[in-house]
Structure formats: structure tokens, C-alpha cells
């Protein structure tokens, strides 16, 4: 089945450590995205990439880094510069619905929950 | 992207229709209305979208007012598994990932 796989599902980190969250998709989608979600709140865009070897900052990119070396993969690194990294992280990719004048739908992974100890 | 307003929470009895409203009074002519839902601790799931006309699929129906300033998502026969946060998003189609996910409406389906 096609979809987005995020790993690990749960991750614990000590302060000052960098961690990398994996996101892999087999949907042949061109665009991929990373969001952060804090308890009881909506999603905030961290980074997005529309093509391989290119990515742009979202609304809250400080303290995060990404790479897009392959179409299928878009890993997110949470660096020690991120002041409050404990959150639920969601990866998504987008497609265009055929016959709908270019309407664009997001497919999400199951998420990775990062806790800083 | 146009700003949306949704009630923070709603209840619905199991088996009844759930009608979730969304106000988007500043919507532009080329902006679509999308609905997603997020079951606790999972990734959001696409439900339905529309531009002008009412839409229906296997999950729900979307009713958009004639002036397009508001819409209603209808789950015709709500089940306990429909308990989730429902997000209404309005945007142009050129960059799906820059959608603004606000706080949404928490729908609780009760037995």
C-alpha cells in the first residue's frame, strides 16, 4: 500500500542533542512538508520541499534543518538550537486530484512524538 | 489564504447527522474549501474539498453557500469512530502544504 512512513514513532532526547526524524513516501508525490503540533493546537509549517534538492522555510523553521536528496525522502533534524522541541511532528506529501482543476490534497504520516528530557 | 472560523467543539449522537460549520467570509474566487480530520495522536486525514458546488463522497458531504462565505461538512450517520478534530481550510491550489491548520472543531460522537 502506498503511503508515508515516519520513524521513530516515539523519541526521547536529552537537552543539547540533535535528533533526526525520518519521513519516506512511496506515493510518487513531488512535494513534501514537515509540521509541528503542540497539545491542543493546530499544525504549524516548519519546512517544505516541492522538488528534489530544493526546500523552503515555513513559519517556524528556526532550530530545524532538512534535506531532500531523493524524491521519496525528507528527513527533519531537530537541532540543539530549537528551544522547545517537545512536540508531535507530522510529515506530509501532496498530490493533485485528477479532474479537479488542480485541487491539491495532503497525505499525512502517522507522526513522530519527540520528548526532551 | 483566507482565514476560517470554526466552533471549538460540538457533540453529536451516534447515528445522527453531524453538521460542522465553517465561516470563510474573506474567501477569494480561486480558493478551494478543504476539510481534514485528525483522530487523536494520528496524522490528519483528507475528507473532501470543493470550489463552488456541493460535493459528496463516501465519507461526507460538503455544502458551500452561494456566496461562498461559509460551508458545512456533513457526516450523515456519525459513529463513535468519527470523534476527531475537524479542520476547515481555504486556500488556492498551488501549494497544498502551506495550508493553515487552525485549532479546528473537536467533534465528540456520543452513544
Amino acid at each position: 500500500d502506498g503511503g508515508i512512513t515516519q520513524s521513530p514513532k516515539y523519541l526521547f532526547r536529552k537537552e543539547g542533542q540533535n535528533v533526526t526524524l525520518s519521513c519516506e513516501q512511496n506515493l510518487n508525490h513531488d512535494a513534501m512538508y514537515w509540521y509541528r503540533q503542540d497539545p491542543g493546537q493546530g499544525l504549524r509549517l516548519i519546512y517544505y520541499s516541492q522538488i528534489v534538492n530544493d526546500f523552503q522555510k515555513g513559519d517556524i523553521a528556526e532550530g530545524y534543518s532538512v534535506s531532500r536528496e531523493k524524491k521519496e525522502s525528507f528527513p527533519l533534524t531537530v537541532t540543539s538550537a530549537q528551544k522547545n522541541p517537545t512536540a508531535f511532528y507530522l510529515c506530509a506529501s501532496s498530490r493533485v486530484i485528477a479532474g479537479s482543476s488542480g485541487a491539491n490534497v495532503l497525505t499525512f504520516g502517522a507522526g513522530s512524538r519527540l520528548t526532551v528530557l | 489564504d483566507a482565514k476560517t472560523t470554526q466552533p471549538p467543539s460540538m457533540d453529536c449522537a451516534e447515528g445522527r447527522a453531524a453538521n460542522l460549520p465553517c465561516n470563510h467570509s474573506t474567501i477569494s474566487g480561486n480558493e478551494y474549501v478543504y476539510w481534514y480530520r485528525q483522530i487523536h495522536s494520528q496524522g490528519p486525514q483528507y475528507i473532501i474539498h470543493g470550489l463552488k458546488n456541493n460535493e459528496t463522497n463516501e465519507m461526507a458531504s460538503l455544502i458551500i453557500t452561494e456566496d461562498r462565505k461559509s460551508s458545512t461538512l456533513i457526516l450523515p450517520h456519525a459513529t463513535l469512530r468519527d470523534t476527531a478534530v475537524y479542520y476547515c481550510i481555504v486556500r488556492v491550489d498551488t501549494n497544498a502544504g502551506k495550508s493553515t491548520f487552525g485549532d479546528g472543531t473537536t467533534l465528540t460522537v456520543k452513544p
Side-chain angles (χ1 to χ4, degrees), chain A residues 81-100:
Chain A
Q82 170 48 236
K83 296 289 187 282
N84 185 21
T86 295
F88 187 49
Y89 291 89
L90 287 157
C91 179
S93 65
S94 66
R95 66 181 175 96
V96 175
I97 298 177
S100 190

Side-chain angles (χ1 to χ4, degrees), chain B residues 4-105:
Chain B
T4 62
T5 303
Q6 298 178 253
S9 64
M10 294 182 64
D11 291 342
C12 177
E14 188 177 18
R16 303 297 293 269
N19 298 286
L20 292 91
C22 180
N23 184 288
H24 33 80
S25 57
T26 60
I27 191 170
S28 300
N30 61 345
E31 289 182 310
Y32 288 79
V33 180
Y34 287 79
W35 283 84
Y36 290 80
R37 74 178 182 185
Q38 185 177 25
I39 295 171
H40 184 63
S41 295
Q42 297 182 23
Q45 174 191 25
Y46 163 77
I47 302 172
I48 199 168
H49 77 283
L51 183 62
K52 297 179 183 177
N53 301 320
N54 299 337
E55 302 287 346
T56 295
N57 63 19
E58 65 278 4
M59 291 182 68
S61 295
L62 174 61
I63 308 297
I64 302 174
T65 58
E66 191 169 344
D67 63 7
R68 304 211 319 126
K69 294 185 177 181
S70 66
S71 61
T72 301
L73 178 74
I74 301 172
L75 308 178
H77 305 287
T79 71
L80 298 179
R81 288 177 294 181
D82 291 322
T83 293
V85 178
Y86 287 78
Y87 297 100
C88 170
I89 295 160
V90 175
R91 60 162 179 80
V92 296
D93 63 359
T94 52
N95 196 336
K98 296 197 76 177
S99 303
T100 299
F101 286 77
D103 293 339
T105 295

Side-chain angles (χ1 to χ4, degrees), chain A residues 24-25 27 35 47 52 61 75 77 82 90-91 105 110-113:
Chain A
E24 303 278 333
Q25 56 102 355
L27 300 166
Y35 292 88
Y47 268 99
V52 174
T77 297
Q82 170 48 236
L90 287 157
C91 179
V105 171
S112 293
R113 191 168 299 279

